[in-house]
Amino acid sequence: MIYNKSIRNPSGLLLALFEAQGGECFHCGIAMSREDGPDGWSREHVVPISTGGSGMRRNVVLAHWRCNNSRGAEPPTDDMLERHDALYEVIREAS
């Protein structure tokens, strides 16, 4: 069950994303820790802010810090956008 705390609360959104993603990194699919560090989660903007992406919640997924950092400001692939949309559909249906 998706964490049902309000996703308007940043903590609630992160927990909802963590559950909807099955605790796995959006990019590599390997399990993430909820702790700080290279295996920990980080907020990843699907469309990087530096390339015109929004800072809004809808543009956020969770990724390992190292995966987020290595992606840099690359634009999202079609696959990323499709997985992102499917993820938010799961969250929307659970709210």
Side-chain angles (χ1 to χ4, degrees):
M1 179 165 130
I2 301 298
Y3 186 78
N4 205 12
K5 187 173 180 181
S6 171
I7 64 169
R8 294 173 191 225
N9 171 336
S11 297
L13 173 64
L14 297 181
L15 290 171
L17 283 168
F18 189 79
E19 289 188 22
Q21 290 179 215
E24 296 176 348
C25 174
F26 184 78
H27 295 298
C28 72
I30 296 173
M32 293 181 294
S33 165
R34 289 172 44 182
E35 305 296 322
D36 289 338
D39 291 326
W41 67 11
S42 68
R43 290 176 5 144
E44 161 74 312
H45 294 95
V46 175
V47 179
I49 291 176
S50 63
T51 62
S54 165
M56 302 295 287
R57 293 174 197 79
R58 186 72 166 82
N59 189 34
V60 174
V61 294
L62 295 178
H64 289 118
W65 177 87
R66 66 178 177 265
C67 292
N68 186 350
N69 194 44
S70 68
R71 176 176 170 232
E74 292 178 17
T77 63
D78 289 342
D79 175 64
M80 284 175 63
L81 293 173
E82 288 173 18
R83 289 185 295 119
H84 167 267
D85 290 346
L87 177 66
Y88 272 86
E89 182 63 23
V90 168
I91 291 172
R92 188 188 66 73
E93 289 175 0
S95 307

